Amino acid sequence: MQDSRQLKREKFTPFTYVLLTIALFFTMVLCICIGSVRISFSDTVTSVWNAVWGLPVPENIAKNIILNVRLPRVLCVTLAGAALSICGAAMQGLLRNPLADGSTMGVSSGAALGAVIALAAGITLPGSPYGGIMVTAMAFAFGSLILILSLAYALDRSLETGSIILIGVIFTMFISSVISLVITFASDHTRSLAFWTMGSFSGVNYGQVKLLCLALVVCGGILLHYSPELNAFAIGEENARHIGVNVKRVKLIVLVTVSVLIGVCVSIAGTVSFVGLVMPHIARMLVGPNHKRLLPASLFSGAIFLLLADLAARTILSPIELPIGVVTSIVGAVAFVIIFYKTRKAR
Amino acid sequence: MLQGEHITVRYGSLMAVDDLSFHLHEGEWLMLAGPNGAGKSTLIETIAQGVPYTGLIRWQGEDIRTLKSTVLAQRIGVLSQKNHVGYAYTVEEVVSLGRYAHRRGLFSGRDGQEKAAVVKALEITGLTGLRHASMLTLSGGELQRVFLAQVFAQNPQVLILDEPANHLDLKYQQNIFALIQEWVKEPGRAVLSVVHDLSLARRYGSSVILMNHGRSISQGPVGDVMTPENLQQVYGMDVYAWMREMLSQWE
């Protein structure tokens, strides 16, 4: 019996991942070429290729811009986009809530508060101007995670999904107020504080790239490993328990993993909203809700989207740079409304 | 096979299940009957380890709280009443999740045995033609059959079913109940199910627990328990007269 309700996902093959990799690579090169100083495609590819394989790189201005400014930034943006998006996809599955993302737990707000306090108080590490902000943000992210999980446990020992969302939302609102308070009393740093709360990849370095890469490989690997469990959660927590998933353990592992990855992202680039919310929806439209395909697809789509958003933030009002969160929020909100109407019509 | 001893579940001051004991034997189809709020679904969720409880539930003598979640799922398959799916999974993807507890490693699920179990479950529930259909496009009865297929794919020794006839039209009610009746005849199997339709309980059940206000009012063979007096006490109405009146509409 054939039915008009059949879905055609067979078109999505491993070859699609090859295409996505090519698209990602092309976008990365494009983002390195374009900026206040335009660099040719061939110069960009030659410089990066030679640097990667340890060959001598021609000495010119382009070398400095490509290797010391744009390449670390593009790598950071790529990794952060992938991380935010994969976290969003995992959270939307785990909490069975299409409005969830990596920040639903409230950990990103905690990290942002840490960063804002470090900026306002001038906390620095010797030899690393941004090190103090990063360390404080990560400490606050970790502290927030402990606090949120403790509150959720105290309310409901089974870590019920509704409790987690509720506590996350209340925690985020509370922290937002505290951040506003800090900004009000730190008028000397208002501009950099505002920039931090809206996200920026300006001035990132290879050390941060390495940290983000390590966090994405470890945390992303854990999330991919748990894709069957995430499918079970996305169908229903009760159903997940019935088929043999250890729901409490899996939930705790996924929440901690997402929080760590989000904490690292926020500590490097501030709060970048909408990537984790919107990109999993776009990936889901392409490959369906099965997390074995959805998580990798989210990874690629998130990276490409954030690269283009960062490019827009750098170039639209050049030489003025917009906070990347402004671009992602504007584009993301419009995209979300379109997706929402499209999926509603499709039902 | 499965034994409950003095099971008690409280929701605040409400006693959802009150000191209930039962024994499910091999080859038995034990029906749970009673009015709304009697505690039937709570008892099912308790056995599925979904709610905190006092008392003991044993699987062949062993406290099931000590069993790993995958081991428990290999022993007991549960069909719940709440089966809403929010994302566009295919029918086959949902049924395949029934094999979760049988996975042996990263790449299992691709071997013939795993696939065969899913194909068979789709076939016996009449879903082969819908295997690539989106869950969002299914009717209530089709959804019910998908989750039944998932439980069959799970291949447990005991089926725990909360209202298996929910949303099913008469043809599928007959098919599914006949299917379960055949299923339970295999050695080492038993069924415990909640039913609201007392005719189904009488027709297919080998024994019954009549529940009210979380308590077992009576339990034993169907004929001994579903007496006019017991049913009057539990439902507060003359059930036999009502059933006769309904039947008379067909004469």
Side-chain angles (χ1 to χ4, degrees):
Chain A
M1 187 183 89
Q2 276 302 311
D3 196 284
S4 58
R5 297 173 284 182
Q6 309 287 316
L7 290 171
K8 292 187 178 65
R9 300 227 178 91
E10 306 85 65
K11 286 178 186 169
F12 200 87
T13 61
F15 180 66
T16 317
Y17 290 113
V18 177
L19 289 179
L20 281 171
T21 310
I22 293 168
L24 176 62
F25 179 75
F26 180 77
T27 315
M28 287 171 78
V29 174
L30 185 79
C31 291
I32 296 172
C33 292
I34 301 173
S36 50
V37 176
R38 279 187 185 267
I39 300 165
S40 72
F41 184 82
S42 59
D43 276 356
T44 304
V45 174
T46 311
S47 296
V48 174
W49 181 266
N50 288 6
V52 167
W53 297 107
L55 303 169
V57 180
E59 286 292 337
N60 52 28
I61 303 169
K63 178 200 168 185
N64 192 36
I65 294 173
I66 291 170
L67 297 185
N68 296 333
V69 181
R70 290 197 194 154
L71 184 60
R73 180 172 182 143
V74 161
L75 288 173
C76 238
V77 172
T78 306
L79 294 166
L84 292 168
S85 187
I86 199 173
C87 286
M91 289 295 276
Q92 286 171 12
L94 184 80
L95 302 178
R96 206 184 172 213
N97 189 328
L99 290 176
D101 67 2
S103 63
T104 304
M105 271 274 279
V107 172
S108 60
S109 306
L113 177 65
V116 164
I117 288 174
L119 265 168
I123 299 170
T124 53
L125 286 182
S128 170
Y130 291 104
I133 299 168
M134 252 182 74
V135 171
T136 318
M138 285 183 70
F140 269 69
F142 190 68
S144 305
L145 174 66
I146 302 288
L147 181 66
I148 293 160
L149 287 178
S150 307
L151 286 170
Y153 261 119
L155 194 68
D156 174 4
R157 291 207 170 269
S158 67
L159 276 182
E160 207 254 322
T161 301
S163 313
I164 291 169
I165 295 176
L166 190 70
I167 290 167
V169 168
I170 293 168
F171 185 80
T172 303
M173 287 165 80
F174 175 73
I175 295 294
S176 300
S177 311
V178 179
I179 289 175
S180 303
L181 201 69
V182 175
I183 292 175
T184 310
F185 285 102
S187 52
D188 298 351
H189 302 279
T190 304
R191 192 174 145 73
S192 48
L193 287 171
F195 230 80
W196 189 270
T197 56
M198 289 185 279
S200 172
F201 286 90
S202 171
V204 290
N205 56 46
Y206 286 110
Q208 289 165 319
V209 171
K210 282 181 198 163
L211 177 68
L212 202 45
C213 188
L214 178 71
L216 182 62
V217 168
V218 174
C219 298
I222 292 171
L223 294 178
L224 281 169
H225 174 73
Y226 280 103
S227 46
E229 287 80 0
L230 287 170
N231 284 332
F233 271 97
I235 287 165
E237 191 173 321
E238 198 177 273
N239 187 253
R241 185 170 2 88
H242 294 165
I243 62 166
V245 175
N246 187 337
V247 290
K248 200 166 161 185
R249 185 170 149 264
V250 171
K251 202 186 278 186
L252 202 62
I253 289 171
V254 172
L255 288 175
V256 171
T257 306
V258 165
S259 299
V260 168
L261 195 46
I262 290 292
V264 171
C265 283
V266 177
S267 71
I268 289 170
T271 314
V272 182
S273 48
F274 269 98
V275 182
L277 175 64
V278 177
M279 295 325 290
H281 284 282
I282 292 176
R284 206 176 280 114
M285 286 167 82
L286 284 171
V287 303
N290 190 331
H291 287 78
K292 279 182 186 168
R293 297 185 299 261
L294 178 65
L295 295 182
S298 298
L299 209 107
F300 280 105
S301 57
I304 293 170
F305 172 71
L306 201 60
L307 277 168
L308 295 174
D310 185 56
L311 183 63
R314 285 192 284 126
T315 55
I316 282 177
L317 297 177
S318 181
I320 298 168
E321 185 177 323
L322 287 171
I324 190 167
V326 172
V327 180
T328 55
S329 295
I330 292 171
V331 178
V334 174
F336 193 75
V337 171
I338 294 169
I339 293 165
F340 183 72
Y341 276 92
K342 231 179 148 178
T343 45
R344 275 294 155 113
K345 273 189 177 176
R347 282 188 187 187
Chain B
M1 291 180 85
L2 192 68
Q3 195 179 347
E5 295 169 18
H6 307 290
I7 301 167
T8 299
V9 180
R10 284 172 193 271
Y11 293 131
S13 59
L14 174 76
M15 205 73 120
V17 178
D18 189 0
D19 195 28
L20 192 141
S21 300
F22 69 88
H23 207 136
L24 181 67
H25 302 274
E26 188 178 335
E28 187 179 8
W29 187 341
L30 174 61
M31 298 285 186
L32 282 179
N36 294 333
K40 306 181 296 292
S41 296
T42 305
L43 180 61
I44 293 239
E45 262 310 289
T46 309
I47 297 167
Q49 302 298 288
V51 286
Y53 63 96
T54 57
L56 261 181
I57 301 171
R58 295 180 194 273
W59 171 265
Q60 292 175 341
E62 199 176 349
D63 184 353
I64 64 169
R65 273 184 280 220
T66 62
L67 296 177
K68 269 178 73 178
S69 48
T70 45
V71 174
L72 184 63
Q74 286 167 11
R75 309 276 185 273
I76 300 173
V78 183
L79 175 77
S80 148
Q81 273 197 68
K82 303 169 207 159
N83 287 326
H84 168 75
V85 176
Y87 295 117
Y89 283 93
T90 64
V91 167
E92 192 171 20
E93 282 170 338
V94 174
V95 176
S96 300
L97 275 173
R99 299 301 299 165
Y100 176 84
H102 298 272
R103 291 183 323 157
R104 287 184 298 276
L106 271 180
F107 299 102
S108 70
R110 293 178 189 176
D111 62 33
Q113 200 187 344
E114 297 294 303
K115 218 167 186 175
V118 175
V119 169
K120 192 180 169 200
L122 288 167
E123 199 183 297
I124 60 176
T125 48
L127 290 167
T128 307
L130 285 174
R131 68 184 188 280
H132 296 305
S134 159
M135 291 292 287
L136 301 181
T137 63
L138 302 186
S139 69
E142 287 168 336
L143 272 177
Q144 182 76 347
R145 278 156 54 206
V146 172
F147 285 98
L148 261 169
Q150 192 192 62
V151 178
F152 281 123
Q154 200 171 320
N155 194 26
Q157 288 173 265
V158 168
L159 286 181
I160 309 269
L161 310 169
D162 196 353
E163 279 292 333
N166 239 0
H167 306 292
L168 294 181
D169 61 32
L170 287 176
K171 184 188 138 199
Y172 275 110
Q173 272 191 31
Q174 192 192 31
N175 284 356
I176 296 296
F177 272 74
L179 181 68
I180 297 167
Q181 199 175 36
E182 280 306 305
W183 185 89
V184 77
K185 282 179 186 165
E186 293 280 322
R189 289 177 172 177
V191 181
L192 189 153
S193 67
V194 170
V195 277
H196 272 297
D197 187 334
L198 297 177
S199 303
L200 284 173
R202 282 193 77 107
R203 166 71 179 80
Y204 292 98
S206 41
S207 53
V208 64
I209 301 176
L210 207 52
M211 288 182 73
N212 203 11
H213 302 303
R215 291 199 191 119
S216 162
I217 303 300
S218 176
Q219 54 179 295
V222 172
D224 296 351
V225 173
M226 294 176 82
T227 60
E229 300 75 31
N230 280 344
L231 294 176
Q232 171 78 45
Q233 185 194 345
V234 167
Y235 288 94
M237 63 183 279
D238 187 344
V239 175
Y240 271 58
W242 171 253
M243 290 295 181
R244 274 195 293 271
E245 191 189 326
M246 287 295 105
L247 205 59
S248 70
Q249 305 301 313
W250 297 94
E251 287 164 359

